[in-house]
Amino acid sequence: MAQDKKEKFLTTELINKIIQSNADLQDYRVVSEEDCQLTTPKGLDGFMSVIHRLTLKLTHKSNDGFYLDLPFFSIFTASTSKRLTVMVKVMKGDDGFRKKSLGLVLFPNEINVYSAVIPAFEQLVGNAGASLNFRTLAPRIYLVESGVRYPAYSDQEETFLVMEDVSAAGFVPGPRLNLDEPHLVLMARKIAQFHACSYAMRVGEQTEALRSLVERIIPLNFLQDGKIVFESYDIVFKVVFERLFRYFDEKPALLEEERVRDRVHALRSKYGTAPSELMQRCLMRDELYSAILHGDYNRNNVLFRYDGEVPQDVMLIDFQENRYGSPALDLSFYMYMNMPPEAWADGGWERLLAVYHRELMHCLCDIVKLKPDDEALQPYGFDPMMKHLKQYFIYGAIIAIKFLPCMLANEQEVQEIVHHFHQDVTADAFRQIYLVAGGETVDTRISKIMVHAAQQGFLDMLEE
């Protein structure tokens, strides 16, 4: 009954709000209930959200047609019509679940990106006459509402995010985990464009405008007032650290290199049982390099457009973990998560960082109209930028090893992980499955990530 009530709202009142909120739709109406289809595709919803697909046949309200207003719908005849397909994202659960799952932070932050950050960046680029094309940065947003009450839908405060279904434009998910160089390069360039706008606002003396955008971001901390905020993350961090260090104990040859062994031992000694302290340390802000981030940048949160099998463009989605901090947080996660270890060889890692930096500087110079060697841009040169990133790249390594046991597990293991995670992540049953899921494949990969991080100097910050 409650589900029928929600579906009725989504196919009546919400449609009217979508039409009223978009100038290019205000001359259109849904003629009948048959012109509205609501589905909930499997695989699109997440732990904290449900995503519906709403397909509408909209008919133009022309002077030649007969028009009559009825509750929620308009009936008329006209010769022109068009189809509109949107994705409707809403929060799951009761108020207690939403508070516990941080949905009351994540959803407002995502809406802030779509309603404030991206429009501000588009205006920045437009006013500068820059060549940067943001048309495929993110899906078009048709409606955003946060903290609203609609008795016709529920008795709770709700959040609605209605966005373009970009599959019609050819944007679809890419490979599940490992990406080849063309995919990785597109992701590096797109996130560089996004980061460049924060730097352009700072260099272009729009610091107040940047500060205003940052102040709207609700902090998403691992620790706050000495207490753990992300309890589930903290538990999984601890379990995967236990797994990682146990594997190193079983395979001491992996730590044969003295520098690597010393850094890994330092990680274990300082943060082995307190991983959230290290992750919180990675969230430090500064007035030079901090930028508005995607926050959860990996293959799961982008869509690719292809020409045959070759990716041509990439679009960002799902900004729920949006933060303000080092760009290393975005870069390190997607590189360690989606770049297979074999791609690190022969300079692949360094080439991808060079692609990111080249695109960052190109966009920054284009917006602020300065040459790359201008004094104002010196902090963003390759060497100082890499020195900065090096201090925070451990972040993505740890986030990646947190997710990889689930990503590389077999179907039965994944079902068991999800079951225990939802039922009681603190139970020993969750710990036991996460220690073994994916077997040797996971053990090998997460150990390679940490050895690589030590070799690259990303654990040197532990000595500071």
Side-chain angles (χ1 to χ4, degrees):
M1 193 72 176
Q3 185 61 29
D4 291 341
K5 175 182 177 180
K6 290 184 176 182
E7 290 182 2
K8 182 67 174 178
F9 174 87
L10 296 174
T11 56
T12 55
E13 289 191 46
L14 187 70
I15 292 174
N16 272 354
K17 294 188 73 65
I18 294 170
I19 292 173
Q20 294 163 8
S21 300
N22 293 273
D24 60 335
L25 299 181
Q26 289 177 2
D27 288 334
Y28 289 84
R29 293 290 185 270
V30 172
V31 175
S32 66
E33 293 187 14
E34 287 70 29
D35 290 336
C36 172
Q37 295 182 352
L38 180 72
T39 58
T40 307
K42 293 182 179 179
L44 290 184
D45 64 330
F47 177 57
M48 293 170 291
S49 63
V50 177
I51 301 179
H52 306 284
R53 177 179 281 117
L54 192 57
T55 302
L56 308 174
K57 179 184 177 183
L58 299 175
T59 305
H60 192 268
K61 184 179 62 177
S62 69
N63 292 332
D64 296 332
F66 171 72
Y67 173 69
L68 173 65
D69 270 335
L70 292 178
F72 311 137
F73 291 101
S74 301
I75 297 181
F76 51 90
T77 60
S79 59
T80 59
S81 64
K82 64 179 179 180
R83 289 196 173 275
L84 174 67
T85 303
V86 296
M87 311 305 292
V88 182
K89 188 173 185 177
V90 296
M91 276 194 282
K92 281 182 178 178
D94 58 21
D95 290 338
F97 172 82
R98 293 174 181 183
K99 183 177 181 180
K100 182 179 180 180
S101 66
L102 298 182
L104 301 179
V105 173
L106 300 176
F107 271 78
N109 276 348
E110 180 171 29
I111 284 178
N112 177 57
V113 173
Y114 286 120
S115 62
V117 174
I118 291 178
F121 286 177
E122 289 176 336
Q123 184 177 13
L124 172 76
V125 170
N127 290 346
S131 59
L132 185 58
N133 182 358
F134 267 178
R135 284 183 297 178
T136 60
L137 176 68
R140 173 180 170 178
I141 301 302
Y142 286 92
L143 179 70
V144 289
E145 289 195 317
S146 181
V148 293
R149 286 188 180 274
Y150 291 111
Y153 183 81
S154 75
D155 298 329
Q156 302 170 254
E157 284 192 354
E158 299 290 352
T159 295
F160 297 97
L161 176 59
V162 182
M163 67 186 77
E164 173 188 11
D165 178 4
V166 295
S167 62
F171 284 92
V172 296
R176 182 173 181 270
L177 178 62
N178 294 331
L179 301 180
D180 60 17
E181 188 168 353
H183 287 87
L184 293 166
V185 165
L186 282 175
M187 288 187 68
R189 294 186 61 196
K190 187 70 76 168
I191 201 63
Q193 294 168 10
F194 189 68
H195 293 164
C197 291
S198 293
Y199 293 150
M201 295 182 83
R202 183 176 293 125
V203 173
E205 299 183 353
Q206 298 186 42
T207 52
E208 286 303 316
L210 177 60
R211 184 176 293 110
S212 177
L213 291 176
V214 172
E215 287 176 350
R216 295 168 64 110
I217 301 172
I218 304 172
L220 189 59
N221 294 314
F222 293 96
L223 296 177
Q224 191 164 321
D225 299 326
K227 297 180 180 179
I228 293 170
V229 178
F230 264 137
E231 181 182 10
S232 61
Y233 269 51
D234 185 71
I235 290 169
V236 182
F237 286 147
K238 289 176 179 176
V239 174
V240 81
F241 267 21
E242 179 184 352
R243 179 173 185 166
L244 175 69
F245 296 132
R246 177 186 296 180
Y247 190 67
F248 280 138
D249 289 342
E250 295 171 355
K251 307 279 186 179
L254 296 174
L255 303 180
E256 184 176 3
E257 188 178 336
E258 182 179 0
R259 181 185 182 190
V260 172
R261 183 172 62 252
D262 289 346
R263 297 298 185 272
V264 170
H265 286 172
L267 175 65
R268 187 176 195 170
S269 174
K270 290 188 175 183
Y271 297 108
T273 59
S276 290
E277 291 183 15
L278 176 57
M279 301 307 285
Q280 184 63 34
R281 180 176 173 179
C282 291
L283 301 186
M284 289 177 59
R285 299 176 174 185
D286 63 55
E287 294 302 315
L288 190 59
Y289 291 108
S290 289
I292 295 177
L293 309 174
H294 179 284
D296 192 16
Y297 196 57
N298 73 102
R299 199 292 305 170
N300 288 346
N301 294 325
V302 299
L303 299 171
F304 293 97
R305 180 175 59 80
Y306 291 87
D307 181 1
E309 296 183 359
V310 181
Q312 301 294 317
D313 199 0
V314 63
M315 180 178 289
L316 312 185
I317 58 172
D318 199 346
F319 291 86
Q320 288 191 356
E321 295 196 28
N322 164 245
R323 287 184 170 95
Y324 179 69
S326 170
L329 275 58
D330 280 342
L331 275 172
S332 62
F333 181 28
Y334 109 88
M335 289 179 70
Y336 273 125
M337 186 72 172
N338 303 130
M339 192 176 187
E342 56 268 23
W344 304 340
D346 300 323
W349 186 271
E350 291 74 18
R351 283 197 303 274
L352 195 57
L353 287 174
V355 166
Y356 167 82
H357 183 261
R358 188 160 53 247
E359 185 71 12
L360 180 79
M361 290 301 293
H362 170 75
C363 296
L364 180 53
C365 291
D366 192 21
I367 297 171
V368 299
K369 308 305 179 189
L370 295 175
K371 298 291 185 181
D373 59 355
D374 189 282
E375 183 178 355
L377 300 183
Q378 292 307 299
Y380 307 112
F382 185 80
D383 289 340
M385 195 75 190
M386 293 305 110
K387 182 179 179 181
H388 164 77
L389 295 176
K390 186 177 178 180
Q391 300 176 66
Y392 297 90
F393 245 68
I394 186 60
Y395 177 90
I398 295 174
I399 295 290
I401 68 172
K402 167 188 177 291
F403 283 112
L404 283 169
C406 190
M407 294 296 293
L408 294 171
N410 61 44
E411 185 176 348
Q412 182 178 346
E413 289 172 331
V414 171
Q415 290 177 353
E416 190 173 346
I417 289 169
V418 172
H419 170 76
H420 291 303
F421 186 87
H422 286 178
Q423 291 296 314
D424 184 5
V425 72
T426 65
D428 191 59
F430 174 82
R431 171 179 166 272
Q432 292 297 336
I433 183 61
Y434 222 73
L435 284 172
V436 299
E440 184 75 15
T441 299
V442 169
D443 292 334
T444 299
R445 183 147 176 173
I446 65 175
S447 64
K448 284 183 176 180
I449 286 175
M450 203 53 63
V451 168
H452 180 267
Q455 291 172 334
Q456 293 287 314
F458 301 153
L459 295 179
D460 292 356
M461 45 87 76
L462 299 176
E463 303 299 318
E464 298 173 2

